[in-house]
Amino acid sequence: MSDARDPTQFDPIVPNTGEEYEPLEVFPEDDGFDLRPGADSCYKCSTCDTNCPVAEVDDDFPGPKFQGPEQWRLKQTDDDYEIDPSISECSNCLRCDTSCPSGVNLAQMHNTARGEYVDNQVSKLSVKYIRNRILANYRTSAYFASMFPRTANFFMNFGPVRWAMEKVMHIPSEREFPEFATQTFRQWWSERGGAKVHSDDKKIAYFHGCYSNYNTPEVAKALVRIYEHFGYEVMVPPQKCSGTPMFANGMLDDARRHAETNVEELTAAIEEGADVVASCTSCSMALRNEYPELFDIDGIDDLAEHTYDAVEYLRIHTDVRQELEAAEVSGELEEEFAYHAPCHARNQGLERQAIELFRDLDGVAVEDVGESCSGISGTYGWKSEKYEKSMEIGSEMFEHMEESEGTTGMTECPTCASQMEHGTGYEVRHPLELIEAALID
Amino acid sequence: MAIESDVLVIGGGLAGLSSAISAAREGADVRLVTYKQSTLRQASGLIDVLGYTPDGEGPLTDPYDAIPELPDEHPYRLLGEDTVREAMSMFDEVADTYRGGHTDVNALLPTYGGTVKPTARYPEGAAAGLASDDRDLLLVGFEAMPDFDAPHVAAHLEAAGVPFDVRGETIQFPGDLMDDAKVTRYAKLLENNGPVEVRGRERGARDALVERLNPLIEDEGRIGLPAVLGDADAAGVRAALEAELGIEVFEVPATPPSMPGVRLEDRLFEAFDEAGGNFESGNPVVSFDGQDRVETVYVDKQNARIPYSAEQFVLATGGLVGKGVESDREHVYEPIFDCHVEHSEDRYDWFDEAVFGEHPFAGFGVDPDAELRPLDSAGSPEFENLRAAGSVLGGYDFAAEKSGSGVSIATGYHAGRLAAQEAQ
């Protein structure tokens, strides 16, 4: 029998394998995150692999179980081990993370592995690196484009320009560039003179993200009107990109710079008594989940604890459900909708929120088109070498959308929306727009 | 404020889904919250009610006959035979792609290991594989899927004395997939007849597979393959194969990760949705408010704590593997409500020295009253509005008895129905 048999003589605090053994210094040279405890929780059930939309269509992709816990172990036991290049085939949908019955933190493992791969193994002069950096820094391009939105809209979808982009930058010419609004949300907000409702105890700070500022200000305006309808004072602090496209491209330094601004500005709003809400589910996931997993910035946990999805926050703090049950929708949005839940909404348990909320709303029907992934995954589908794969992943969603009664799409995620439009030709709306249509005038 | 419902079910496995469906069918406003995906995805997809007695007698012909002989604390004894039967009828209505409901008698199905297993319900796709069927049988495995070694399984079945001839062959899956291709990759290729490369030419995977299977068939009446024949449309894949091969096709129930388990989970969520239920996954319930009654539970959404309130709660968080029951060196506990879990103070009494011995840990769980409310150490209900279902319950050893699915369905059904009745 082992010497640990008598529990009274066993003290797990004191190492019992020899005096030199220091359990905290197994990997002394590593000053990053130690994910070993997470890797040890993996019991190889492969549930993550059965949820991976990339592994389902790509025979060469080894799957999330390999990318996360297995690769982590290889790396820890072999000093020369380099991150497998297949990490850049991962689309960062994070369904693996949502599925793991053992709570292994696959999101954190994939993001750190990808960051390390891009830092150490990718040439900073390669066209793909430069292209990825431009894609990941969408906010910068959008900022310039929004100065001359009509010109940008014309050139970004102008045939010869797109041909050149495909040849030089490997940006697929099949994709339609999102249209830039002629007035950004922030311009509208300052023209309006900011908040119309002032309150000492009901305040939210709106993280609008890049997309609803530059491309779909109607979503952001809907949010403002809904929250003011419920008596909230809306704050719109200065902000940068949430960082999601940068995580997905392994550009953690870029992401960190943006995160620092966001954490500083949003925690200042929290100190004034606000909670933070986001209308894009990838943004809310970044603030809630990815920030504290990847960075160590003052106030970052405080921000995570106070961040919510915009609709989720209404469900908790207002009687939006009862109001919707009593309301009806007529006019432009009196429609049947084919709803797709974004992967990053699933990750936050929001995959059924729109279905539940609109179940008893007169004048509309919202049908869930199922659990398939749209396949675009932010910048993933914007790369020529991944375009076909992204469309193959999305094919199930396109079919389900076409089978459903509705011919208008609905989702919370702007890039899912563009893939839904691209694959089916449907117009796509945000749940906030429907709430606005039901509750306000 | 909080997100509100009549009945809140915690856990999305077989027990959680059964109780959520049964409560929704009673007309209650039901919400199911589940932390990640359940161990149902790792299960064979077979629905066992009772295969062996706790003393190891069996395989049992009629599981219902054996219920009165079970120990007092066994969940089936708490519910009674009639409730178990009602629960199974609900399952039969909901899982309409399952067979076996026409008789009380256990069916015998060949497994991946070549044993023959007594089970109460089986997926349609496994039906042609019944061991009581006397048609000769051909098993075909794929080189890159070593979990199912067809010649080995065939030899085992022969040795078990099955009433037919059985032969096993191993082939390469068309397209030479990587050695650890995912089961979903096989399923998707077969379902879509997706393109694979065979000798330099692009072919549909299903067509190419038929070409490889055809020459292997001698005069067998049925052919068994690993359970990767499609995902959303498994029946369609099977029908297409049968049309081309001219004999019946079946899937041998799988080891994890298991497509039959995935399909059953999908079907049950669909049924819950049809019954008007609400659900969400991905985040754990971590704490609660309340003294004699549970008032509100909190879901930890990546650091923000989201409150959920309800009239009635059902705890269906699973056993040791599903993490509904946890342990450290000192004690065994139920992590959300800290309900009492009976166990010896000396952890060396938690297990048996023999690998296949009678392990006390296999029966660890909360002990309930007849209404399935977990009891404290003094024998009173921990909370008046909390019920428990499935493998978070103690008093039975599902692995030895082959009773896991049956207990989950029966206790889930009962807990859900009582919760709904009391909530309204």
Side-chain angles (χ1 to χ4, degrees), chain A residues 345-357:
Chain A
R346 289 176 186 277
N347 209 293
Q348 299 170 71
L350 304 173
E351 71 272 33
R352 296 281 299 178
Q353 186 168 269
I355 302 297
E356 179 181 338
L357 213 49

Side-chain angles (χ1 to χ4, degrees), chain A residues 4-5 51 56-57 59 62 97-100 102 288 312 316 347-349 351-352 356 359 396, chain B residues 1 4 29 31 36-37 41 178 182 185 188 257 273 277-281 301-303 323 348:
Chain A
R5 186 173 165 81
N51 281 273
E56 193 170 280
V57 300
D59 180 41
D97 192 77
T98 318
S99 69
C100 176
S102 205
R288 274 178 155 175
E312 174 188 42
I316 301 168
N347 209 293
Q348 299 170 71
E351 71 272 33
R352 296 281 299 178
E356 179 181 338
R359 227 170 196 157
E396 201 171 309
Chain B
M1 284 174 83
E4 293 168 352
D29 173 19
R31 183 183 309 283
K36 316 279 174 149
Q37 285 173 352
R41 293 193 159 230
M178 71 192 294
K182 312 304 167 213
R185 174 79 180 135
K188 184 103 175 171
D273 184 23
N278 295 313
F279 55 88
E280 63 178 66
S281 66
K301 264 194 197 168
Q302 303 164 326
N303 302 309
K323 298 185 167 53
Y348 289 91

Side-chain angles (χ1 to χ4, degrees), chain A residues 105 119 161 222 275 289 308 418:
Chain A
N105 205 334
D119 277 351
V161 173
D275 282 318
N289 191 38
Y308 299 82
S418 75

Side-chain angles (χ1 to χ4, degrees), chain A residues 7-13, chain B residues 326-333 341 343-348 350 364:
Chain A
T8 59
Q9 288 181 13
F10 180 80
D11 183 350
I13 308 296
Chain B
E326 299 217 62
S327 67
D328 55 26
R329 283 177 173 272
E330 274 74 44
H331 72 314
V332 183
Y333 60 101
V341 176
H343 62 279
S344 163
E345 269 184 43
D346 183 348
R347 69 189 160 96
Y348 289 91
W350 296 355
F364 282 167

Side-chain angles (χ1 to χ4, degrees), chain A residues 368-412:
Chain A
D368 189 351
V369 299
E371 58 185 356
S372 45
C373 170
S374 81
I376 189 168
S377 291
T379 58
Y380 193 78
W382 275 97
K383 301 169 184 174
S384 291
E385 71 276 15
K386 307 225 164 57
Y387 175 76
E388 294 291 332
K389 205 191 293 183
S390 99
M391 292 303 282
E392 201 180 335
I393 294 171
S395 64
E396 201 171 309
M397 182 194 72
F398 304 145
E399 279 166 35
H400 289 169
M401 284 180 71
E402 270 150 19
E403 282 163 20
S404 86
E405 298 284 327
T407 51
T408 302
M410 177 178 283
T411 193
E412 288 91 346

